[in-house]
Amino acid sequence: MEGIGALFDSISNRYDRFNHTSSMGIDRIWRRKAIKSLPKCETILDVAAGTADLCIEAVKRGKAVRVVGIDISEGMLNVGREKVSKSGFDGSIELIVADCAKLPFPGNSFDAVTCGYGVRNFAELDRCLLEMYRVLKSGGQLRILEFTYPQSRFVRFFYDFYFTRIVPKIGRKLTDNDEAFAYFVNSVKNFAKGKDFLAILERNGFADARFKSQTFGISTLYSACKR
Ligand SMILES: C[S@@+](CC[C@H](N)C(=O)[O-])C[C@H]1O[C@@H](n2cnc3c(N)ncnc32)[C@H](O)[C@@H]1O
């Protein structure tokens, strides 16, 4: 766990640039769609909040009065705090260092829980999902965005070329950290996708689990709720 936190600490200052450059800016659209799919509510918990993009998007779109973001990387949250301050949303967004496997909140306290590109990094995935379920109010909504390895052979051909030839160069230039970069590519390829991830959500109690592929299946939006 500390390993992942330290890894994100080490790239925190360049994380946003790497993200937006390697996805050619499309990641902003994926996040916007995830937040737009939520009903308006009082409180949202964003786990693995990183540099707070989903938190800011949620408040900007008027989806919640209060958003709490948690992450194990203080470095990522510090970048997020600067962005929150610049956006003028300090009064609505709170960023806290915490492990998703042990959330510091009572049960049934949030109307929605979101997670952007975080679940594949969780050392204890089931424990984290159970915690997300516990803090969600009954009837509350879950939205998870995750990178996925595309199904189509045709798309895979371009994906493999882009991710094994081009993105490593971008990663090395922007983050100067080979370890972080190799981790990113492998973690995407090895993580459960589509129906397999829906089964993981269901075994952790979530209902109405469904998914929507984004941009040729390279990102996926998972939705579910707590009955
Ligand atoms: C790829 S970043 C995603 C950041 C942000 N949500 C976004 O949409 O860009 C993954 C984040 O997960 C965090 N993370 C990994 N394991 C975690 C855990 N167990 N609890 C909380 N955060 C965790 C990392 O520190 C990192 O900031």
Side-chain angles (χ1 to χ4, degrees), residues 138-178:
S138 173
Q141 294 290 319
L142 175 77
R143 295 292 182 275
I144 290 177
L145 278 169
E146 198 43 272
F147 291 113
T148 33
Y149 191 49
Q151 302 283 78
S152 148
R153 274 200 199 167
F154 181 71
V155 179
R156 271 187 189 187
F157 176 80
F158 292 103
Y159 183 95
D160 284 337
F161 178 79
Y162 186 65
F163 275 90
T164 54
R165 301 282 171 90
I166 311 289
V167 177
K169 288 193 179 123
I170 300 173
R172 255 164 234 140
K173 217 167 183 178
L174 295 184
T175 69
D176 202 17
N177 186 330
D178 281 5

Side-chain angles (χ1 to χ4, degrees), residues 47-184:
V47 301
T51 59
D53 277 351
L54 275 182
C55 301
I56 293 170
E57 190 68 31
V59 174
K60 207 199 281 178
R61 305 254 152 219
K63 290 291 182 178
V65 179
R66 181 171 165 260
V67 178
V68 179
I70 69 102
D71 200 289
I72 44 168
S73 163
E74 177 89 60
M76 293 286 275
L77 290 182
N78 282 340
V79 175
R81 285 182 186 117
E82 274 178 37
K83 285 160 67 180
V84 168
S85 185
K86 273 191 196 144
S87 68
F89 294 142
D90 310 64
S92 314
I93 300 174
E94 189 184 0
L95 299 175
I96 301 170
V97 175
D99 187 340
C100 186
K102 213 175 166 196
L103 291 172
F105 310 108
N108 306 305
S109 33
F110 293 93
D111 298 301
V113 174
T114 56
C115 181
Y117 308 102
V119 288
R120 74 173 194 288
N121 301 292
F122 291 160
E124 299 165 286
L125 178 61
D126 284 312
R127 258 184 88 175
C128 290
L129 288 171
L130 278 173
E131 277 292 271
M132 288 154 80
Y133 185 86
R134 180 182 66 78
V135 300
L136 199 54
K137 288 181 190 168
S138 173
Q141 294 290 319
L142 175 77
R143 295 292 182 275
I144 290 177
L145 278 169
E146 198 43 272
F147 291 113
T148 33
Y149 191 49
Q151 302 283 78
S152 148
R153 274 200 199 167
F154 181 71
V155 179
R156 271 187 189 187
F157 176 80
F158 292 103
Y159 183 95
D160 284 337
F161 178 79
Y162 186 65
F163 275 90
T164 54
R165 301 282 171 90
I166 311 289
V167 177
K169 288 193 179 123
I170 300 173
R172 255 164 234 140
K173 217 167 183 178
L174 295 184
T175 69
D176 202 17
N177 186 330
D178 281 5
E179 189 206 351
F181 186 66
Y183 167 77
F184 170 78

